[in-house]
Amino acid sequence: MEVIRVEHVIKTYHIGQIETRALDDVSMSVEAGEFTALVGPSGSGKTTLLQLMGCLDRPNSGAVTINGHDVARYNAGQRADLRKKEIGFVFQFFALVPVLNAYENVELPLLLSGVKPKERRSRVLELLNAVGLSDRTTHRPDQMSGGEQQRVAIARALATRPSMVLADEPTANLDTANGEQAMTIMQQLNEQTGTAFVFATHDPRVMAFARRTVRLRDGKIVEDGAGN
Amino acid sequence: MALGKLWKISYRDLARHRRRTWFTLIAVGLGLGLLILLDGYIAGVMQDSLETSIRLKTGHLQLRAPSYEEEKVSLKWENLLSNANEIAAKATALPEVLAAAPVLWATGILDTADESASLRVYGIEPESALYDPIRDGLVAGEYLQPDDRSGIMIGKRLADSLGVTAGQKVNLTVVNADGEADTVTFTIRGIYNTGILSYDDTAAFMPLVRAQALARTGDRASTVMVRLHDRETAEQVAAQLQAPDTQVLTWRELNSLFLETFETAAGFYKILDAIVMIIVAVIIANTLLMAVFERIREIGILSALGMKRFQVVIMFLLEATILALAGIVVGLILGSAGVWYLATQGIFIGDIASTVDTIPIGTTLYAKFSPVSMGWLSLWTLLIVLLASLYPAWYAARLEPVDALHAQ
């Protein structure tokens, strides 16, 4: 089943007087359960593509369809609702809410979705256990290592049982061991839950985990094939 | 999303920046405290002055002949009440009335060998409760007896300025009802001190019958002065005492100049209130804008997780509410402490009091607690803080998630 479809998407940015075309007529789709890497050098458009897939931004033209819904014309509230239900995010920086502990950070999307307290608790503990942090529930981000923070972010991305998780350079700020651990966890969760994972990266070690690699250059897809 | 979690994020964010939070809530607290102090002080001075004026000068009600004009202190028979005793008796019979008695006013000049002073002569019924403040304020000599034919009482300040003491003789000149100046020698029977300089300086009391004889007004009186148990019943009692040949004036009319003066002063204080509130609003807006700028990326994360714009607004409004409530507590403590100090110790203003003719103020001014006013000021502070936080909250809410996430 197709979870994301991007069709003839164009996205341009204006920096001063200069117009930069970040994505130039890009089309691709992602099936449920995929583990896909968007790869390419800096400025190739992979983060922009990820943002459009994640309803964080809107294309100048073209269509973005998430689970059959054309979201290109959704307003801010509708996009927020869709993100809440269908999409989990893992960012390059350890994007946790600094004043909430690990448990509360994972619980946050469940609260936003109105999940009942008992269900919330069991899901949070299950996910923190799955990422190996069941002993870190009360630690705040500044009391955890970068690797631990990113694992909390992975747990949080999966809390609402989304149909896809979008990860932007998830290992860029981690050392090799922690980076591999984060990727292994994402791979395991992908296999266990069937959630599609799409991650943008230019790290060859991360690409090695992908079952499908989409290569971008200058805002265009130049290669789409099986993993490395 | 559960309000509890937003609340938790808000107060923890405030706790994360303790120093800034403290400074902000102290600013809110100082602002509110200052307003409470000013308000308590003005209310205290106004209430004290009004009560003093009613107690010493005007009473709650006065009944006069329709043609009587107080400024002229007329002694012409047609301007005086011919049935003053009858009116006083009728008023005294009413349950709302504490005391009622006729008074005759005249202007006079008091002479000693070296000094003289112009003053108002009060012909009074000394035994009436209307003159308790004079009786209680006796500092030398003795209080007037109703049948005293040669004694007068004057204020301590006047006695000091004339250099006279109780028992000494003075000459009092009064222009009587026939327009003739009569000079009579009186003995200073007693000296009183009410603490109200403008009153202790310009009045001489003598028994009504003696004043009537001196001014040749027969049994007529300038007014019948009435004091009530409760001033709020003034209009009701006035209606009962209304008669075709009398004018009834309530304490509001009798003190209108004084009340207008205070209303004008209160208007100026309202401007000061507004300035303080604006300063508080600017501080709050600044604090929250700083909080927004520092947390742009965090707002991006929350948006990415599906937090809606109105929830972002609520999160910052909650933060403002916590700051406001904590600031209000600080303000109430500081303001109450200030009002308590001024209510018990007061501010000594000394002789300045005597320069204010229209307002009978004492030499020490005291503040008064006004819980209703404190409640309103607190509510206003909360409202102003919330209004001031709308812009930062709106700014945060309108950030596009993609821009917020990439903010440095």
Side-chain angles (χ1 to χ4, degrees):
Chain A
M1 195 183 81
E2 198 176 74
V3 290
I4 313 171
R5 170 175 284 276
V6 177
E7 289 174 290
H8 305 297
V9 158
I10 294 174
K11 181 69 187 176
T12 55
Y13 292 112
H14 292 269
I15 301 165
Q17 300 289 316
I18 302 161
E19 184 184 277
T20 306
R21 186 163 282 208
L23 289 176
D24 187 5
D25 194 21
V26 168
S27 296
M28 71 170 284
S29 62
V30 176
E31 295 288 323
E34 270 193 26
F35 202 69
T36 298
L38 300 177
V39 303
S42 291
S44 60
K46 49 189 192 303
T47 295
T48 304
L49 182 56
L50 214 59
Q51 284 166 354
L52 293 180
M53 288 175 167
C55 291
L56 292 171
D57 205 355
R58 284 190 281 196
N60 296 93
S61 67
V64 178
T65 311
I66 311 270
N67 285 331
H69 302 284
D70 180 4
V71 298
R73 304 206 180 284
Y74 271 25
N75 64 27
Q78 289 169 314
R79 282 185 285 141
D81 275 336
L82 196 80
R83 286 197 297 271
K84 198 160 60 182
K85 282 187 208 148
E86 304 288 354
I87 309 165
F89 291 96
V90 178
F91 297 101
Q92 176 183 340
F93 55 90
F94 317 125
L96 301 179
V97 178
V99 295
L100 300 180
N101 63 32
Y103 181 97
E104 290 164 337
N105 263 289
V106 179
E107 190 190 28
L108 194 55
L110 298 171
L111 280 162
L112 288 167
S113 301
V115 176
K116 297 256 184 307
K118 200 174 165 191
E119 171 73 7
R120 279 205 309 261
R121 185 171 172 74
S122 77
R123 274 205 229 175
V124 173
L125 292 176
E126 184 187 317
L127 282 164
L128 283 173
N129 189 43
V131 298
L133 290 173
S134 44
D135 58 341
R136 289 280 193 275
T137 53
T138 57
H139 287 56
R140 290 204 187 165
D142 59 2
Q143 297 166 321
M144 289 187 283
S145 70
E148 286 171 333
Q149 289 184 54
Q150 197 62 309
R151 277 145 64 195
V152 173
I154 294 167
R156 185 182 63 188
L158 284 155
T160 55
R161 296 182 178 149
S163 47
M164 77 195 87
V165 169
L166 306 174
D168 188 10
E169 305 276 8
T171 60
N173 287 338
L174 299 177
D175 59 26
T176 308
N178 276 309
E180 283 190 6
Q181 188 184 22
M183 287 310 298
T184 305
I185 287 169
M186 284 200 274
Q187 197 175 43
Q188 283 169 355
L189 289 168
N190 163 255
E191 284 162 9
Q192 286 164 16
T193 62
T195 305
F197 275 72
V198 181
F199 42 93
T201 185
H202 55 252
D203 182 347
R205 292 166 306 173
V206 177
M207 291 177 214
F209 283 85
R211 290 198 294 276
R212 176 187 171 194
T213 303
V214 177
R215 193 172 298 276
L216 288 111
R217 186 174 299 141
D218 299 329
K220 288 178 187 291
I221 293 176
V222 293
E223 190 186 329
D224 186 351
N228 287 5
Chain B
M1 183 183 177
L3 204 61
K5 189 61 72 177
L6 284 177
W7 185 264
K8 194 180 272 185
I9 293 175
S10 297
Y11 84 69
R12 283 189 187 167
D13 264 314
L14 289 171
R16 192 157 53 135
H17 299 283
R18 276 199 189 89
R19 193 183 308 171
R20 189 172 70 200
T21 303
W22 271 112
F23 277 124
T24 307
L25 67 87
I26 283 172
V28 175
L30 280 176
L32 176 62
L34 182 66
L35 295 185
I36 288 173
L37 185 64
L38 274 178
D39 196 75
Y41 185 63
I42 293 165
V45 172
M46 183 165 177
Q47 205 171 316
D48 271 356
S49 304
L50 182 61
E51 278 168 12
T52 303
S53 176
I54 289 171
R55 189 164 46 93
L56 293 177
K57 287 178 89 172
T58 67
H60 289 113
L61 290 173
Q62 283 188 27
L63 294 97
R64 301 175 183 166
S67 59
Y68 187 81
E69 288 175 63
E70 193 185 355
E71 308 80 56
K72 292 183 181 166
V73 199
S74 172
L75 289 172
K76 289 182 183 163
W77 283 37
E78 65 268 27
N79 294 334
L80 301 177
L81 283 174
S82 57
N83 55 345
N85 290 327
E86 193 183 310
I87 293 170
K90 187 180 169 191
T92 308
L94 295 174
E96 295 89 351
V97 173
L98 175 74
V103 184
L104 182 71
W105 292 318
T107 48
I109 295 173
L110 199 64
D111 286 303
T112 63
D114 306 316
E115 302 280 349
S116 72
S118 66
L119 43 71
R120 178 176 283 203
V121 177
Y122 289 69
I124 62 165
E125 289 185 354
E127 70 275 25
S128 169
L130 289 172
Y131 305 102
D132 287 351
I134 307 297
R135 189 183 295 114
D136 297 343
L138 191 72
V139 290
E142 56 193 51
Y143 188 65
L144 286 175
Q145 295 304 314
D147 56 353
D148 193 336
R149 299 293 296 174
S150 60
I152 59 167
M153 286 187 74
I154 61 170
K156 182 170 188 310
R157 192 174 160 82
L158 180 60
D160 289 346
S161 69
L162 292 175
V164 294
T165 55
Q168 270 187 257
K169 294 206 181 320
V170 288
N171 292 324
L172 178 65
T173 305
V174 171
V175 178
N176 62 30
D178 303 327
E180 294 164 4
D182 261 352
T183 302
V184 179
T185 301
F186 283 92
T187 303
I188 307 285
R189 196 68 68 206
I191 295 171
Y192 63 85
N193 185 15
T194 61
I196 308 301
L197 299 184
S198 62
Y199 197 62
D200 293 348
D201 208 11
T202 56
F205 291 87
M206 66 177 68
L208 177 64
V209 285
R210 182 69 190 93
Q212 285 167 333
L214 181 66
R216 297 191 196 161
T217 60
D219 62 353
R220 285 171 162 72
S222 307
T223 189
V224 171
M225 196 172 293
V226 180
R227 271 190 72 193
L228 303 169
H229 293 289
D230 176 5
R231 73 178 182 212
E232 296 309 317
T233 60
E235 271 77 16
Q236 180 198 330
V237 176
Q240 292 183 66
L241 295 176
Q242 189 68 57
D245 55 346
T246 51
Q247 56 166 327
V248 188
L249 300 169
T250 66
W251 59 270
R252 276 182 230 277
E253 294 154 319
L254 294 164
N255 290 286
S256 60
L257 184 62
F258 154 72
L259 289 172
E260 277 165 24
T261 308
F262 257 113
E263 264 166 33
T264 308
F268 281 112
Y269 279 108
K270 287 275 181 292
I271 294 170
L272 193 65
D273 283 4
I275 292 169
V276 172
M277 285 286 188
I278 288 167
I279 292 170
V280 167
V282 169
I283 290 170
I284 286 286
N286 183 51
T287 300
L288 287 178
L289 264 183
M290 277 169 71
V292 169
F293 288 141
E294 276 172 12
R295 285 154 60 194
I296 284 181
R297 191 183 272 185
E298 188 184 319
I299 294 162
I301 297 164
L302 293 168
S303 299
L305 293 178
M307 183 179 273
K308 292 192 170 174
R309 287 181 166 171
F310 79 90
Q311 290 171 314
V312 174
V313 169
I314 288 174
M315 189 170 75
F316 281 97
L317 289 186
L318 280 175
E319 205 161 312
T321 305
I322 296 169
L323 275 175
L325 292 177
I328 285 170
V329 170
V330 173
L332 286 173
I333 292 169
L334 293 177
S336 301
V339 172
W340 175 81
Y341 179 81
L342 288 186
T344 50
Q345 304 298 313
I347 296 179
F348 181 73
I349 59 164
D351 275 3
I352 299 171
S354 64
T355 64
V356 192
D357 263 358
T358 51
I359 306 169
I361 48 179
T363 50
T364 304
L365 303 182
Y366 295 94
K368 271 214 164 56
F369 272 101
S370 171
V372 173
S373 164
M374 281 162 85
W376 275 113
L377 285 171
S378 301
L379 207 63
W380 267 111
T381 305
L382 180 64
L383 203 70
I384 293 289
V385 169
L386 287 179
L387 274 177
S389 63
L390 278 180
Y391 174 70
W394 171 79
Y395 182 91
R398 64 183 267 280
L399 287 168
E400 284 295 333
V402 67
D403 297 329
L405 283 166
H406 291 102
Q408 293 303 309

